C-alpha cells in the first residue's frame, strides 16, 4: 500500500506521543469517512522548540479538506504534505482489528501494515509467528511501506517494539 495521496501536516503544541495519539483520535471522529484515513505522529524540532506534530492523510480529498477546515477553525496551523516520510501511524486501515494475539500473516491481512521487522534480526518473521498486540500497534512509514517494528517476547512470540505504557526516563531516581 502506498501512502495516501492527500495529506496535511498539523502543527501542535503537544509534547508527548500519548497526547498526540489522543488528539489524532479526537480529530478523526470529525471526518466524514475514516476507513481510509492515516493519522501519524512526527517528532519535530524547529527553532529549538520540540513537539509532536501530526499528519492526516486519505485517498479521499473530501476527508482531507474537511479535516483541514476543522483544524483551521480550532486554531491549528495546517499545511499540505506530511512533516516527513517516516510518520508513526496511529490511525490506519485495519488498526482496530489488531487486538489480542495474532499471527504475523493475520496482522498483515487485517491491516494496512505491509511488513513486520524484528529488531536485531535479518529477514522477515515466519508468517505463522504469533504477535501479542497489547492492543497497541504503531507501525511506521519506511520507504513508502507501513512497517511494524517488533521484538522477541516470551514463548517464541513477538510484541510491537513500542510499549503502550513506557516507564518515563529516570523514573526510579
Amino acid at each position: 500500500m502506498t501512502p495516501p495521496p492527500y495529506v496535511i501536516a498539523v502543527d501542535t503544541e503537544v509534547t508527548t506521543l500519548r497526547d498526540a495519539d489522543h488528539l489524532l483520535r479526537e480529530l478523526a471522529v470529525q471526518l466524514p469517512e475514516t476507513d481510509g484515513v492515516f493519522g501519524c505522529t512526527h517528532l519535530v524540532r524547529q527553532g529549538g522548540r520540540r513537539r509532536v506534530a501530526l499528519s492526516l492523510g486519505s485517498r479521499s480529498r473530501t476527508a482531507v479538506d474537511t479535516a483541514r477546515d476543522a483544524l483551521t477553525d480550532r486554531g491549528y496551523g495546517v499545511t499540505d504534505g506530511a512533516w516527513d516520510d517516516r510518520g508513526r501511524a496511529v490511525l490506519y486501515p485495519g488498526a482496530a482489528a489488531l487486538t489480542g494475539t495474532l499471527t504475523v500473516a493475520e496482522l498483515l491481512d487485517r491491516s494496512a501494515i505491509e511488513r513486520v521487522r524484528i529488531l536485531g534480526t535479518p529477514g522477515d518473521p515466519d508468517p505463522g509467528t504469533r504477535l501479542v498486540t497489547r492492543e497497541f500497534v504503531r507501525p511506521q512509514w519506511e520507504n513508502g511501506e507501513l512497517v511494524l517494528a517488533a521484538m522477541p517476547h516470551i514463548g517464541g512470540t513477538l510484541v510491537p517494539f513500542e510499549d503502550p505504557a513506557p516507564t518515563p526516563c529516570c523514573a526510579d531516581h
Side-chain angles (χ1 to χ4, degrees):
M1 175 173 282
T2 58
Y6 306 108
V7 181
I8 54 174
V10 185
D11 198 358
T12 73
E13 294 297 323
V14 174
T15 58
T16 69
L17 289 173
R18 182 175 300 230
D19 289 343
D21 289 6
H22 178 76
L23 181 56
L24 272 171
R25 284 196 180 87
E26 180 185 317
L27 297 172
V29 298
Q30 299 175 28
L31 298 177
E33 47 193 273
T34 57
D35 286 344
V37 170
F38 288 82
C40 297
T41 61
H42 304 264
L43 301 177
V44 176
R45 181 181 187 139
Q46 290 177 321
R49 186 176 135 225
R50 292 182 183 176
R51 66 198 180 284
V52 183
L54 311 176
S55 64
L56 282 170
S58 177
R59 304 211 183 293
S60 162
R61 179 179 288 281
T62 302
V64 171
D65 288 344
T66 300
R68 179 191 326 275
D69 293 344
L71 290 161
T72 302
D73 289 347
R74 291 179 62 181
Y76 289 103
V78 180
T79 57
D80 287 329
W83 290 94
D84 56 44
D85 61 355
R86 297 193 47 90
R88 170 186 163 270
V90 176
L91 306 173
Y92 52 92
L98 304 181
T99 61
T101 300
L102 307 169
T103 65
V104 168
E106 290 170 327
L107 177 121
L108 299 175
D109 186 54
R110 293 179 186 182
S111 72
I113 298 172
E114 297 174 84
R115 191 164 63 85
V116 174
R117 178 176 42 88
I118 303 174
L119 298 177
T121 63
D124 295 333
D126 181 277
T129 303
R130 294 177 308 128
L131 183 129
V132 180
T133 67
R134 301 181 295 193
E135 282 66 44
F136 194 83
V137 181
R138 301 292 188 265
Q140 186 164 328
W141 288 105
E142 294 179 9
N143 300 315
E145 285 186 310
L146 203 52
V147 178
L148 177 66
M151 59 187 182
H153 191 56
I154 57 174
T157 63
L158 299 172
V159 292
F161 175 71
E162 188 175 346
D163 190 324
T167 302
C169 177
C170 306
D172 60 345
H173 56 272

